[in-house]
Amino acid sequence: MDNQKGFRKYLILTFLIGFGFFTMGLMDPLYDTYIPIFLKRYIRSNAIIGSVMTLDNLLQLFLIPVISIWSDRTRTRFGRRMPFIIVMLPLSAILFSMIPSMAGISLAALIIILFLFNIFKTSVRGPVVALMPDTIPGDYRSEANGVINTMGGIGLIIGTLVLARLMQLNESLPFVTAGAFVLFATLILFIFVKERKPEETEEEKQPSVIASLKMIFTSGDSSVIRILFSLFFWFMAYEGAKPFLGLYLVDVMKVSSGNAALAQGIAGIASVLLAIPSGYLAHKMGRRNFIRMSLTILALILLLVPTTGYISRTFALPAGSSLILFLILMFFYGAVWIGVVVNSFPMLWQMASYGNMGIYTGLYYTFSQAAAISAPPLTGAIIDLAGYPGIFIFGSICMMAAWFVMGGVKRGEAHNEPQESSTQNA
């Protein structure tokens, strides 16, 4: 109860910061669902489509750490994260709205617009993410991460269950509308979110990038490294399946293109419902224990996905039952997955200080995007060789690998880190 009262004073600010996550939640599922469909008009191989879908992840691998560290050292009257946000988010919105038009021209035009869009969207992600731990004390970051992921989930629901339906009217309409939402969210962030100014002591003890990285990887404590490799494995599972869920629904479940984002939309609803409770629950259970429990459940869900057709036939269920069972599993997947996302970032942030928050944010994305680059070509090849069930079995194996590595993590809980940062004493 004390924890809830303590976080309550940061609740409104956290929701406002969440508008940055809202933009990601809005654009990402539309991108992941419809870019493979646009590419399929020009490319037959799923492995090649998966390779193209790693473009944004490849850029994120390099750009997010660089921009995050750059923003650590930026000092302006608007703050250190906000200059990146107010420039790059609007440019992302404009380029995003142009994607369907370019897809109708040629493959080359589509690839060029995807490249430009991903440069700006990728560059702004680190500053957007780091805005929250800059502002919210360490003890409450699981709860705060639940709130901002709720905002991201609302964006996902709007994108997949509302805007995606507009594809049947005009392919450009969902993308243009999403772009307008992103511009509005940027305005909200700029007007209402004021960054905390660093104290003089924080400026004085700010380590160099090399010194910070050396300290992280040579400290003799394996917790940071274990968290990073754990998230590599669970993102291999997540990113391996995500680009092909729309094609799975169209090719296997025989839904229309307007419903191709249905799986992500259902998972998004579950994420919105469970994001905040998962932050509070992990605070009580311990973040590591909560994440390991979630990984076990996710592995089981992924193993069950390929059986929906078999179950429908075995029990002579009505037509469409396989799709319903699949969407139920996606709902539970979203409900459990959000618990991993909400609590893994705060474990890393708990070990950081004001001066190197961007470095820890960059490391998170270095490992998660390394997985996102590796997984889609691999799972695309698995589909070509063994069909869609293979990617869900692959995902289950990756989740259990993450469970095993996560077992050795000893740090990152809400109350067991030294209070280095004044954000933790705010």
Side-chain angles (χ1 to χ4, degrees):
M1 184 62 69
D2 291 340
N3 178 62
Q4 294 182 28
K5 289 180 179 178
F7 174 64
R8 197 169 296 158
K9 62 183 176 182
Y10 301 102
L11 190 57
I12 294 177
L13 174 61
T14 307
F15 268 113
L16 291 171
I17 293 172
F19 273 94
F21 281 72
F22 172 84
T23 67
M24 299 179 202
L26 193 64
M27 291 189 290
D28 285 353
L30 286 173
Y31 184 95
D32 293 330
T33 300
Y34 291 109
I35 301 308
I37 293 174
F38 293 155
L39 291 169
K40 195 79 169 181
R41 297 170 185 174
Y42 301 101
I43 303 170
R44 300 302 302 170
S45 168
N46 286 304
I48 295 176
I49 291 174
S51 298
V52 175
M53 290 301 292
T54 64
L55 173 63
D56 61 330
N57 302 314
L58 184 62
L59 290 170
Q60 288 183 39
L61 180 64
F62 297 104
L63 281 177
I64 289 181
V66 170
I67 301 299
S68 296
I69 294 168
W70 184 8
S71 69
D72 269 350
R73 284 153 173 74
T74 298
R75 298 292 181 267
T76 74
R77 65 190 183 95
F78 299 114
R80 58 180 185 166
R81 318 294 184 189
M82 197 60 68
F84 296 90
I85 292 171
I86 61 177
V87 172
M88 294 175 179
L89 263 185
L91 287 172
S92 301
I94 294 168
L95 292 166
F96 187 71
S97 66
M98 296 170 61
I99 289 175
S101 300
M102 297 300 103
I105 295 174
S106 68
L107 177 61
L110 175 59
I111 297 297
I112 290 170
I113 197 70
L114 293 181
F115 179 75
L116 293 173
F117 164 69
N118 279 299
I119 283 180
F120 290 104
K121 188 200 77 167
T122 296
S123 295
V124 77
R125 186 177 290 263
V128 165
V129 171
L131 196 58
M132 186 274 278
D134 277 355
T135 312
I136 305 301
D139 284 355
Y140 307 123
R141 287 181 190 146
S142 281
E143 294 87 339
N145 213 26
V147 171
I148 61 181
N149 275 278
T150 296
M151 293 293 288
I154 292 171
L156 188 150
I157 291 170
I158 293 174
T160 55
L161 300 185
V162 180
L163 299 186
R165 309 286 290 182
L166 302 176
M167 286 288 289
Q168 297 174 139
L169 299 176
N170 186 298
E171 284 188 348
S172 292
L173 200 53
F175 288 80
V176 172
T177 307
F181 272 116
V182 172
L183 292 174
F184 173 74
T186 305
L187 190 62
I188 293 294
L189 282 170
F190 179 66
I191 293 174
F192 294 106
V193 176
K194 306 302 178 185
E195 295 187 49
R196 183 180 68 86
K197 290 182 172 59
E199 298 174 2
E200 289 184 9
T201 54
E202 291 173 326
E203 293 283 20
E204 290 171 359
K205 71 179 182 180
Q206 188 179 53
S208 68
V209 175
I210 301 299
S212 293
L213 292 174
K214 184 178 180 180
M215 177 186 66
I216 291 168
F217 289 105
T218 63
S219 65
D221 183 352
S222 66
S223 290
V224 173
I225 297 172
R226 281 181 171 273
I227 292 173
L228 292 173
F229 276 100
S230 295
L231 67 91
F232 173 82
F233 283 118
W234 70 57
F235 274 109
M236 282 288 287
Y238 179 77
E239 297 290 348
K242 186 175 66 172
F244 296 104
L245 286 177
L247 289 173
Y248 180 76
L249 281 168
V250 172
D251 294 345
V252 177
M253 297 295 179
K254 306 303 179 184
V255 304
S256 66
S257 61
N259 290 316
L262 200 56
Q264 289 203 56
I266 294 296
I269 291 174
S271 297
V272 168
L273 294 175
L274 272 296
I276 296 175
S278 69
Y280 281 105
L281 186 57
H283 199 111
K284 295 180 182 299
M285 287 181 59
R287 290 165 177 165
R288 188 199 66 163
N289 292 337
F290 186 84
I291 289 174
R292 294 189 86 206
M293 178 188 71
S294 300
L295 291 171
T296 304
I297 298 171
L298 289 170
L300 179 60
I301 291 172
L302 288 169
L303 283 179
L304 289 174
V305 168
T307 69
T308 57
Y310 174 78
I311 292 172
S312 296
R313 292 190 300 271
T314 301
F315 293 96
L317 298 177
S321 296
S322 179
L323 174 61
I324 293 172
L325 290 173
F326 172 71
L327 293 178
I328 290 172
L329 288 174
M330 287 297 98
F331 179 87
F332 284 109
Y333 186 91
V336 179
W337 170 253
I338 196 64
V340 176
V341 174
V342 161
N343 293 291
S344 54
F345 235 145
M347 291 191 78
L348 281 177
W349 286 329
Q350 198 77 22
M351 305 176 201
S353 66
Y354 183 89
N356 63 13
M357 196 70 70
I359 293 176
Y360 277 79
T361 301
L363 284 171
Y364 181 100
Y365 279 107
T366 296
F367 279 77
S368 63
Q369 296 315 308
I373 291 167
S374 306
L378 179 57
T379 50
I382 289 173
I383 294 170
D384 290 336
L385 292 172
Y388 285 101
I391 65 175
F392 300 110
I393 296 171
F394 168 80
S396 181
I397 294 170
C398 289
M399 290 295 184
M400 291 314 298
W403 177 90
F404 177 78
V405 176
M406 196 72 185
V409 173
K410 304 300 182 185
R411 299 174 59 202
E413 301 298 341
H415 299 295
N416 67 359
E417 297 298 325
Q419 301 299 298
E420 299 177 8
S421 168
S422 67
T423 58
Q424 294 173 313
N425 295 318

